[in-house]
Amino acid sequence: MASNSPSPEGIDVPETPTAGAWGEWNPTEDSARSVRGKHRVLKQRGGLARSSTVLGVGVIAAVGAGGIATAQDRPQVAISMPSLPDLPDLLGGGHASGAAGADTAAPAAAAAQGAGIPGQADGRGHGQADAGEALRHRILQQAESQQEAVETQARADAERTAREAAAQEARTQKEAADKEAETARAAAEKAAAEKAEADRAAEAAATTAAKAAEGGGSASGAGTKASGGYSLPTSSYTLTSHYGDSGSMWSSGHHTGLDFAAPTGTPVKAVGGGKVVSAGWSGAYGYRIVLQLDDGTEVWYCHLSSMSVTSGTVGAGETIGRVGATGNVTGAHLHLEVRKGGSTVDPLAWLESKGLSV
């Protein structure tokens, strides 16, 4: 492989010195180039390989041109390159592994950073993790605040809806109660009006009957007939029991008066002018008015439904009460008794003696 070329002085000098002659051979850039795909040797700017080559060439030139000795005069001198202990460091490694250690350092550091191995990368990872945790915590707080606000608003809306529904129900119930009260009031007013109308009609009918009785009479007692200041006790009547009739209906065994059967409410009149000496409840007689005439004769009006005059003086034909069915009776009628000196007399005969046609 080595070729000898003549030197300027005719000495053959090997073109490439051997390791035994010069010692350790310093690789050049080309000889140190790694195989593609396995290792990569970092290029050194103004690199050592180029400097080493120049240094070797310079030494050879100096030996050849120095003229100190020729190859013929002196034995071969071993030329060795100066040792460079910092070569691995310059090539990127900090130990004997050289470039291989440099090539594996970066991937190892990257792997350590990715795996969370403590170091500078671990510190940065902790800082990033703390920032992410703080951000997540703040997002959760905001979400909880928003959720709480939504729930509070929903509760407020539900309470407001319930209050409005309760108020509406109360208004509906009040309106229904007012309507019922108005209906009941209208019904009461209608009933009162009907009753008042009925009372007026009854009063008008009684007044008409009284006027008819005062205007004329008949043998059956269709009306009253005044004669010499006397008047029949009632009108539109029918005589049902006469004085002296016997029977178990009367406590004395016989009838002590004269019965004028007439509808309840028919006016009862004073047969003559006199004074009312007694008026009120009287047991079997019911409501009774005792009228004392000017000559001392007493006329008893019994079983009345009402009493218009209870005291004072009255004139002949004046209404003092109304026919009824109070006391011991079987129907509505006027029981008329005439007493003189405390003893009963026949009312029919007494009336006829006063010029009245009964």
Side-chain angles (χ1 to χ4, degrees):
M1 296 286 298
S3 61
N4 295 325
S5 59
S7 65
E9 297 181 357
I11 300 173
D12 294 332
V13 179
E15 183 178 355
T16 302
T18 63
W22 289 358
E24 185 179 4
W25 175 252
N26 185 33
T28 64
E29 180 181 4
D30 294 335
S31 63
R33 182 175 301 169
S34 62
V35 180
R36 182 180 301 274
K38 291 184 178 181
H39 298 284
R40 180 174 59 87
V41 178
L42 298 177
K43 288 185 178 181
Q44 303 294 328
R45 296 182 180 178
L48 178 62
R50 179 179 301 176
S51 300
S52 301
T53 303
V54 173
L55 179 61
V57 174
V59 170
I60 295 173
V63 172
I68 299 174
T70 62
Q72 296 174 351
D73 296 333
R74 295 186 179 185
Q76 295 181 352
V77 178
I79 301 174
S80 61
M81 295 296 292
S83 62
L84 300 174
D86 57 347
L87 181 60
D89 295 334
L90 295 175
L91 295 177
H95 47 79
S97 61
D103 290 339
T104 58
Q113 181 177 359
I117 298 176
Q120 293 181 352
D122 182 61
R124 290 192 300 270
H126 275 297
Q128 294 176 356
D130 292 342
E133 180 65 21
L135 178 59
R136 186 181 70 87
H137 183 66
R138 185 162 62 252
I139 292 174
L140 290 177
Q141 284 184 339
Q142 292 178 355
E144 291 176 356
S145 300
Q146 293 176 358
Q147 181 66 24
E148 184 177 356
V150 171
E151 292 177 355
T152 302
Q153 184 64 31
R155 286 194 297 270
D157 293 342
E159 292 176 357
R160 183 175 64 254
T161 302
R163 287 195 300 269
E164 291 176 355
Q168 182 62 31
E169 181 66 19
R171 287 193 296 270
T172 302
Q173 293 179 357
K174 184 178 182 301
E175 291 175 357
D178 293 343
K179 186 176 181 180
E180 292 179 357
E182 182 65 23
T183 302
R185 184 166 54 252
E189 291 176 355
K190 183 179 180 180
E194 291 177 353
K195 183 178 182 301
E197 184 65 22
D199 292 341
R200 286 193 296 270
E203 184 69 20
T207 302
T208 301
K211 290 181 179 179
E214 292 175 358
S218 64
S220 61
T224 61
K225 181 179 179 181
S227 177
Y230 290 89
S231 174
L232 291 176
T234 188
S235 60
S236 300
Y237 59 86
T238 299
L239 297 177
T240 56
S241 295
H242 292 76
Y243 180 78
D245 290 345
S246 61
S248 60
M249 294 178 58
W250 301 288
S251 59
S252 61
H254 65 278
H255 195 218
T256 57
L258 182 64
D259 289 345
F260 297 81
T264 298
T266 302
V268 174
K269 303 180 182 302
V271 294
K275 180 175 64 175
V276 175
V277 296
S278 177
W281 183 261
S282 185
Y285 288 104
Y287 287 107
R288 182 190 66 175
I289 294 177
V290 177
L291 174 62
Q292 185 179 41
L293 302 181
D294 295 338
D295 61 359
T297 302
E298 290 184 355
V299 181
W300 290 10
Y301 300 85
C302 305
H303 309 306
L304 300 177
S305 61
S306 64
M307 298 177 293
S308 303
V309 179
T310 57
S311 62
T313 59
V314 296
E318 185 177 344
T319 299
I320 59 175
R322 293 184 181 277
V323 174
T326 60
N328 186 16
V329 296
T330 57
H333 68 282
L334 170 64
H335 175 83
L336 184 69
E337 285 190 9
V338 178
R339 292 176 178 259
K340 284 186 174 184
S343 298
T344 60
V345 296
D346 185 0
L348 180 60
W350 184 82
L351 290 172
E352 288 178 346
S353 67
K354 300 302 180 183
L356 298 173
S357 176
V358 180

